[in-house]
Amino acid sequence: MSYFSAESLCVGYGMHPIIENCSFSLESGCVAGILGANGSGKTTLLRAVCGILPHDGRCTLDGCTLESLSSRSIANLCAYIPQRSGISIDIPVIDVVLMGFHAKLGILAHPTAHMRQAASAALETVGLGGMEERNYLHLSEGQKQLCIFARTLVTDCRMLILDEPESALDFRLRYRMLALLRQWISDRGGCALIALHDPVLALNCCDRLLFLSEGRIVGAVSPASDPKHETESWLSSVYGPVELSRCVSRAGTEQWVMLRDAPMHEPTDSVEDSI
């Protein structure tokens, strides 16, 4: 039995369907990346899985049917990081991280000293140590993403759901965040579902890749074990013709490199054709 499964998910806005009959499953310990073209429904799918959007179908996590639970109970099981935090008021960084404990606190209850220590430790882990009292709104966009990621690290959730968490991070920090995420899953169990903008990051950091097109999961591969041509084929269906190669770093570690398999100078449409 899979640790997490989504069965026949259907989500729409008004009469316009975005996700239709979407089904997939994840094993415990799996970090799964979702790849798809802009507008394919990645964000909508993630928001449905964590219960933010109403939907048809069923999501099951570690034997619990999420649709049968309250929003508070789902928040104790699934941690969601959106593309943008939505925080628009002056608030200390430490208080943003402490929001990760809200699902465990009673009404009007204050975070404990232990929670504050855990929040400071999480900030140190993501590279924001010493910024506890800094105004969150004064952080760079990349620092804001790391702060929200620290908020996720303090939870005891069984599933992490992240929407393009690397979008505002530089090359080094992208790989650091995914390494921290993998360590979190390794230490606590559970699984992670991540919509990623960077396919090379996904190839090198995810156990499983799910390809989303027109609201459906149309394919899935495991980059470390599946044939290269199969992975290339699915990537090409999203990004156009690509070629994969294995590159060895000076430290001796192997990583995937993705090359665009197309002429350097492609013909462009004329002005008349584009109107």
Side-chain angles (χ1 to χ4, degrees), residues 55 157 178 203 233 249:
H55 57 273
C157 291
L178 267 293
L203 281 166
S233 177
S249 71

Side-chain angles (χ1 to χ4, degrees), residues 2-264:
S2 300
Y3 186 76
F4 171 82
S5 65
E7 302 174 32
S8 303
L9 290 188
C10 296
V11 193
Y13 299 99
M15 299 298 294
H16 182 55
I18 303 296
I19 301 296
E20 297 186 84
N21 295 317
C22 186
S23 300
F24 63 95
S25 61
L26 305 177
E27 299 302 322
S28 177
C30 179
V31 175
I34 301 178
L35 296 176
N38 291 339
S40 59
K42 298 188 295 294
T43 295
T44 298
L45 175 59
L46 295 185
R47 289 166 61 85
V49 168
C50 64
I52 294 175
L53 290 179
H55 57 273
D56 294 326
R58 182 175 66 175
C59 294
T60 304
L61 176 62
D62 196 18
C64 298
T65 301
L66 298 183
E67 288 77 13
S68 67
L69 303 177
S70 66
S71 298
R72 188 180 185 86
S73 296
I74 294 175
N76 277 318
L77 294 175
C78 302
Y80 173 59
I81 298 183
Q83 290 184 32
R84 295 175 179 81
S85 69
I87 297 173
S88 58
I89 60 172
D90 293 319
I91 182 173
V93 165
I94 187 70
D95 288 348
V96 173
V97 181
L98 288 170
M99 291 177 183
F101 293 108
H102 280 185
K104 293 178 169 50
L105 293 172
I107 298 176
L108 300 180
H110 295 285
T112 65
H114 176 74
M115 290 176 177
R116 297 189 72 86
Q117 290 173 358
S120 292
L123 285 170
E124 186 72 35
T125 296
V126 302
L128 298 181
M131 295 189 181
E132 285 84 351
E133 301 306 320
R134 183 83 62 87
N135 187 334
Y136 174 82
L137 296 183
H138 294 171
L139 300 180
S140 70
E141 290 304 312
Q143 288 174 324
K144 288 178 181 177
Q145 283 191 316
L146 291 172
C147 181
I148 299 301
F149 184 56
R151 184 179 71 185
T152 300
L153 294 180
V154 302
T155 71
D156 291 323
C157 291
R158 302 180 194 178
M159 184 175 187
L160 303 184
I161 302 171
L162 301 90
D163 192 358
E164 296 190 359
E166 88 287 17
S167 59
L169 300 179
D170 62 28
F171 180 83
R172 175 180 59 89
L173 289 177
R174 289 182 178 192
Y175 281 85
R176 175 173 170 77
M177 174 181 277
L178 267 293
L180 290 172
L181 176 65
R182 293 193 64 86
Q183 187 62 52
W184 193 97
I185 294 295
S186 176
D187 292 343
R188 294 168 175 79
C191 62
L193 183 63
I194 318 169
L196 287 166
H197 182 73
D198 183 347
V200 177
L201 182 69
L203 281 166
N204 289 303
C205 297
C206 294
D207 304 303
R208 194 83 171 142
L209 297 182
L210 307 175
F211 295 91
L212 187 66
S213 177
E214 297 181 352
R216 292 183 175 87
I217 299 293
V218 294
V221 296
S222 298
S225 58
D226 286 344
K228 185 181 78 165
H229 68 83
E230 184 177 344
T231 304
E232 284 178 334
S233 177
W234 284 114
L235 287 167
S236 296
S237 72
V238 175
Y239 303 105
V242 301
E243 179 182 350
L244 296 180
S245 295
R246 295 292 279 177
C247 179
V248 181
S249 71
R250 294 191 187 95
T253 57
E254 287 193 354
Q255 291 191 356
W256 284 113
V257 175
M258 190 172 81
L259 305 173
R260 189 159 181 257
D261 188 15
M264 290 297 293

